[in-house]
Amino acid sequence: MKTCAAIRELLSAYLDGELPQQEAQQVSVHLRRCTECREIMEDFRRMQAQIRDLPQAEPDREQWGNLMNRATMRTSRGLGWILGVGGVALLAGYGLYSFTRDPSVDTLERIGVWAMLGGGVLLFATVLVERLRAHRSDRYKDIEQ
Amino acid sequence: MPVSDRERELIERLDAVGRSGFAYACQKLRNREDALDAVQAALTSVWRTRQRLDPQRDLRGWFFRILRNRCIDVVRDRARGAHQTLGSDPVTLDDPADGLARDESRDQLRAALATLTEEQREIVLLRDYHGLSYAEIGRALNIPPGTVMSRLSRARSALRERFLAQEGAS
Ligand SMILES: [Zn+2]
């Protein structure tokens, strides 16, 4: 038979339904015949109900939608874009390169094409570096910190 | 790439958990913008580890663990930044419902909650306000289940004492 003091230590877990069955049974039997412990239990119930009913701070609708979109963005999609755009750029670059090797093309055209090529490579590299940097600066990447 | 059913379900759960987390972060940080930032960071890292996660079992505990660490970082950064400006420190205010709508019938409970230690108030709120199970609380606070049980029990006993004192005083 448990004392009132021992029962009182279990009341909180009893309230939450987190006691093993045998102990829950002991508490329930005790509460039936002990007014003082029952009063404590009632106070716990009342407090729990009131805390549950406290108003919750709620996010602004639009802000929340944007936040959820950003948080659940798929990096695989980002990678897909990089690969896709990269592939097109590579083909275009190769085409332009072959064009400059053609002996019938004059110097001015050749310079223009090289400038286009250089610009494309530079743009692609910039985007890549930015993405890598954004990825690295996220300190909460690993859930098991 | 189509969104799979599993991912759709996870997004729904993250939405619910994130809203609850927003209320938690507002209470901790007392600033809606900071709370949104913290929640987004926590949601993002849960989302990134979604392959390794069992959403039925792990989601809420992990989310609150990350969110809580994030909030602690924000508070610490603020304390560092406020080093020169002595005076008001918004972080040490002890009204858990500050910034939320006021209601006289709840003031006694709020006053009682405000007298608890941060550790006691946090565990009571995680359980009763945010609805976390003991396993989830253990994961969120990084403590064993037995400690959750005893800490919560002591916190509730303390809360009850203060609450009855409040009632007696009015
Ligand atoms: Zn008793």
Side-chain angles (χ1 to χ4, degrees), chain A:
Chain A
M1 196 66 92
K2 280 196 162 83
T3 61
C4 282
I7 290 292
R8 281 171 201 183
E9 289 196 355
L10 300 176
L11 289 180
S12 162
Y14 180 75
L15 173 72
D16 294 321
E18 299 260 4
L19 277 186
Q21 204 187 346
Q22 203 195 341
E23 278 182 307
Q25 189 68 28
Q26 288 176 322
V27 172
S28 141
V29 167
H30 182 94
L31 286 180
R32 242 173 275 152
R33 55 169 182 76
C34 178
T35 327
E36 280 169 61
C37 287
R38 201 159 57 224
E39 260 171 33
I40 297 174
M41 191 65 210
E42 276 319 303
D43 289 339
F44 278 3
R45 280 221 175 84
R46 201 154 51 101
M47 291 189 313
Q48 184 174 56
Q50 288 205 31
I51 292 170
R52 233 174 238 164
D53 283 349
L54 283 175
Q56 287 239 4
E58 275 175 41
D60 169 80
R61 245 189 88 141
E62 200 185 314
Q63 268 183 326
W64 186 252
N66 291 337
L67 181 149
M68 279 302 292
N69 279 337
R70 282 195 297 272
T72 59
M73 215 156 48
R74 296 203 280 173
T75 35
S76 57
R77 189 184 293 162
L79 202 68
W81 270 106
I82 287 182
L83 284 176
V85 171
V88 170
L90 209 68
L91 278 178
Y94 182 72
L96 289 170
Y97 176 78
S98 321
F99 179 72
T100 60
R101 308 312 302 174
D102 186 336
S104 67
V105 174
D106 73 35
T107 321
L108 199 64
E109 280 173 319
R110 200 163 300 192
I111 291 172
V113 167
W114 275 114
M116 275 170 70
L117 268 175
V121 168
L122 204 68
L123 259 177
F124 186 66
T126 314
V127 170
L128 201 67
V129 166
E130 267 171 18
R131 286 212 72 106
L132 284 176
R133 201 170 286 160
H135 186 67
R136 211 177 306 140
S137 67
D138 183 8
R139 297 159 52 208
Y140 292 85
K141 205 162 41 192
D142 194 1
I143 199 161
E144 274 142 311
Q145 52 190 316

Side-chain angles (χ1 to χ4, degrees), chain B residues 44-151:
Chain B
T44 303
S45 52
V46 172
W47 178 250
R48 287 207 177 126
T49 56
R50 63 191 180 280
Q51 316 291 4
R52 288 191 276 141
L53 213 64
D54 176 357
Q56 298 304 329
R57 237 191 55 224
D58 294 341
L59 189 74
R60 232 167 10 161
W62 279 125
F63 170 76
F64 271 93
R65 169 120 145 224
I66 299 165
L67 180 60
R68 179 170 182 269
N69 286 339
R70 185 86 198 191
C71 288
I72 289 170
D73 280 358
V74 170
V75 169
R76 197 176 37 219
D77 287 353
R78 271 185 195 161
R80 232 176 257 145
H83 209 64
Q84 293 93 343
T85 56
L86 287 164
S88 64
D89 178 8
V91 179
T92 57
L93 287 174
D94 254 339
D95 179 2
D98 192 42
L100 304 176
R102 299 213 69 84
D103 178 331
E104 268 190 67
S105 71
R106 294 188 251 256
D107 280 358
Q108 287 172 348
L109 178 69
R110 283 177 173 150
L113 276 168
T115 65
L116 296 182
T117 65
E118 175 64 30
E119 189 184 88
Q120 291 176 327
R121 183 168 49 244
E122 178 166 51
I123 200 164
V124 168
L125 291 181
L126 282 177
R127 172 62 213 142
D128 291 339
Y129 191 58
H130 300 287
L132 268 63
S133 71
Y134 283 19
E136 289 169 332
I137 294 173
R139 196 161 277 134
L141 301 179
N142 201 14
I143 55 178
T147 308
V148 174
M149 198 173 279
S150 56
R151 191 184 287 181

